[in-house]
Amino acid sequence: MKLRTTLIVLAGLMCAFHSSSYANLLEKNYLLLAPEFNDVSVADSSASEPGLSLAFGTEIHPQWYAEVGYKLIAADFEPPVEPLSTNELQLDSGVDASGLYLSFLGKATGQSGELFYKLGVMAMTYETSNQYDGEQGCDDAEPRVLAVSDGSVTQCDYDDTAIAGIVGAGFDFFVGYRAQIRLQVEHIRGNNDIQINSVQLGYRYNF
């Protein structure tokens, strides 16, 4: 009887240990859904638009996460119409921008959550267009010269993918056993005068 009781207790302890270890392993991963607001500048175009981030993160060291995700940055681009004169130039047609990113988050855990800073890289696709008076060159784009009633107009059409760097900082607040709320600020910069400033408020689910 004592042997049977001992075996039952040992089996229970082993199951508890296994479940605890498995839970600890799983809770080193998370999914992130984060609405954000982005101030975007590409070439001579700009946009201030709501966006969205979707990401998966995993702990690679007690003080580091790796995070891979997708960001919808802006969807504000409207192709410009061809002007009839230089007085009808469309100088800013907005920006479409989105991309995949990989970031590393250095973290410090406290009672109310995790403070982190972020370093990463993004492959960002973007589309925009600018018009200029006269014949000019375009950075990273083929110029298209349009004849108008009082001269000529150069249109620069951008539809490309750029590599950009990411720096950021934020805090993940504990709101439940598996849930955290993320507050983050971020700066992204790349070639062709790409600059993005972002504020993010999102939901993180740990598993």
Side-chain angles (χ1 to χ4, degrees):
M1 185 67 179
K2 290 183 178 180
L3 179 59
R4 182 181 177 184
T5 303
T6 302
L7 290 174
I8 291 173
V9 171
L10 287 174
L13 289 173
M14 290 178 66
C15 289
F17 176 78
H18 177 76
S19 299
S20 175
S21 299
Y22 189 62
N24 289 337
L25 175 63
L26 288 179
E27 288 169 10
K28 294 180 180 180
N29 303 320
Y30 64 84
L31 295 174
L32 178 70
L33 173 64
E36 57 190 33
F37 187 81
N38 300 304
D39 186 20
V40 186
S41 176
V42 178
D44 288 327
S45 296
S46 61
S48 295
E49 286 284 298
L52 184 69
S53 286
L54 298 172
F56 167 78
T58 186
E59 186 180 270
I60 57 174
H61 182 274
Q63 293 182 323
W64 287 93
Y65 288 121
E67 184 178 287
V68 59
Y70 169 80
K71 289 175 71 74
L72 174 61
I73 299 168
D76 186 50
F77 174 64
E78 294 185 5
V81 297
E82 293 191 5
L84 299 177
S85 72
T86 57
N87 295 324
E88 298 178 1
L89 295 182
Q90 187 169 340
L91 301 178
D92 190 342
S93 57
V95 180
D96 282 356
S98 61
L100 298 173
Y101 71 89
L102 171 65
S103 292
F104 297 94
L105 283 67
K107 62 188 178 80
T109 304
Q111 291 185 347
S112 57
E114 292 178 311
L115 179 68
F116 66 86
Y117 63 91
K118 173 187 283 190
L119 299 172
V121 63
M122 168 181 279
M124 188 183 100
T125 60
Y126 62 94
E127 185 175 7
T128 189
S129 186
N130 302 117
Q131 294 176 345
Y132 305 97
D133 188 1
E135 296 188 24
Q136 302 186 27
C138 300
D139 294 334
D140 298 327
E142 288 295 325
R144 187 156 63 97
V145 179
L146 309 173
V148 295
S149 61
D150 55 351
S152 61
V153 169
T154 299
Q155 182 164 313
C156 300
D157 297 316
Y158 299 93
D159 188 358
D160 204 354
T161 299
I163 302 300
I166 303 172
V167 294
F171 196 86
D172 288 340
F173 296 90
F174 293 128
V175 295
Y177 177 64
R178 294 184 182 274
Q180 290 174 266
I181 296 296
R182 172 169 293 186
L183 177 61
Q184 175 182 264
V185 293
E186 200 171 62
H187 178 72
I188 300 171
R189 178 171 292 194
N191 63 318
N192 203 15
D193 297 325
I194 293 171
Q195 292 192 57
I196 302 165
N197 293 307
S198 174
V199 177
Q200 184 182 98
L201 181 65
Y203 175 78
R204 169 179 155 177
Y205 176 76
N206 303 308
F207 65 96

